Amino acid sequence: MAQHLAADSQPPRDRSRNILAAAATGVADFIARTGGRPEAVFERIGIDAECLGQTRRALDLADYVAMMEDAAQETGNDNFGLWFGQRYQPQMLGLIGEIALAAPTLGSAIEHLALWFPWHQQATETRLTRRDGLLRFEYRILDGSIVDRRQDAELTMGMFANVFRTCLPSGWAPEMVLFEHARPASWRDHEAAFDADVGWSQGTNALVFRDRGLDRAM
């Protein structure tokens, strides 16, 4: 598996903090389906609804993260990001999703995601590491000015988990999921969504998984 750990090497980043609008594909419908008013969320945050889901348009990362936090408030669904991420398939992610799906194997897809995700979402670190005999796909926003980012972390871990689920047999689950933020009130939903134990108040967000099935064709 040494070849997969090469994803620790990161492409260069600048000081920008954009995210491709493809990451918001379907968010308006999901807000509406969970009892909220998407137009109210977009107006409060200052987001142009016309660009959401367009694969080549960009949003400010802070606005994107704030939109997810506001959507949780608007819908009264404290686990908004968790459930939005669980239904978010790789093909909805635009170019970075296409890169993962076009990879020859699952291991290669994960390696590509770790290496190239900071081009899809700037001011972000993604790494594939090994610790205590397990692999970890780590994710965290580097911009310290973006403080409230729980919803983003939970939806992003769901997006990444769905790359595994696209390739592996039904019933795949990580060994554990880690989050930077403290444990929320409805934390049992997170264990049910990922079918795994969840660690809170960690140094990074991560999917922890075994070195199994990574040679399976995408």
Side-chain angles (χ1 to χ4, degrees):
M1 274 303 297
Q3 66 271 27
H4 298 301
L5 298 184
D8 280 337
S9 171
Q10 293 292 313
R13 289 187 291 266
D14 59 25
R15 293 174 183 243
S16 301
R17 57 171 195 179
N18 288 334
I19 179 173
L20 290 181
T25 300
V27 70
D29 288 341
F30 195 72
I31 292 171
R33 285 202 342 244
T34 48
R37 300 164 299 152
E39 65 282 355
V41 173
F42 303 151
E43 182 177 354
R44 282 193 293 266
I45 304 303
I47 285 179
D48 178 8
E50 293 297 318
C51 79
L52 295 181
Q54 295 188 27
T55 58
R56 298 297 186 266
R57 295 285 295 276
L59 299 172
D60 179 79
L61 179 58
D63 288 346
Y64 173 82
V65 173
M67 175 177 64
M68 296 304 175
E69 296 293 330
D70 194 272
Q73 294 290 326
E74 170 70 24
T75 60
N77 180 358
D78 192 47
N79 288 339
F80 179 89
L82 172 70
W83 298 121
F84 182 63
Q86 293 297 311
R87 45 84 58 193
Y88 203 100
Q89 298 304 309
Q91 56 267 32
M92 299 165 66
L93 264 174
L95 183 58
I96 191 67
E98 294 170 16
I99 288 171
L101 292 172
T105 65
L106 175 59
S108 179
I110 297 166
E111 184 179 68
H112 290 165
L113 270 178
L115 182 61
W116 298 113
F117 194 81
W119 290 106
H120 167 85
Q121 178 177 314
Q122 296 168 332
T124 296
E125 178 183 68
T126 46
R127 300 195 307 158
L128 187 59
T129 64
R130 186 186 295 274
R131 181 179 299 181
D132 300 327
L134 296 171
L135 292 173
R136 293 160 51 116
F137 191 105
E138 300 178 356
Y139 162 83
R140 66 188 182 105
I141 291 174
L142 299 176
D143 188 336
S145 69
I146 304 175
V147 178
D148 296 324
R149 54 198 195 191
R150 173 193 151 195
Q151 303 299 328
D152 168 76
E154 294 180 7
L155 73 88
T156 304
M157 288 298 99
M159 290 176 180
F160 290 154
N162 281 339
V163 174
F164 289 82
R165 292 166 178 155
T166 297
C167 183
L168 295 175
S170 176
W172 175 86
E175 296 299 307
M176 194 172 189
V177 182
L178 307 178
F179 289 114
E180 290 180 298
H181 52 269
R183 188 174 75 179
S186 299
W187 58 276
R188 293 287 187 190
D189 286 356
H190 300 71
E191 294 188 343
F194 290 100
D195 192 21
D197 292 334
V198 179
W200 308 99
S201 301
Q202 303 295 308
T204 189
N205 308 291
L207 290 179
V208 182
F209 56 97
R210 294 195 179 277
D211 185 358
R212 264 198 317 245
L214 298 185
D215 57 349
R216 188 181 179 94
M218 286 297 287

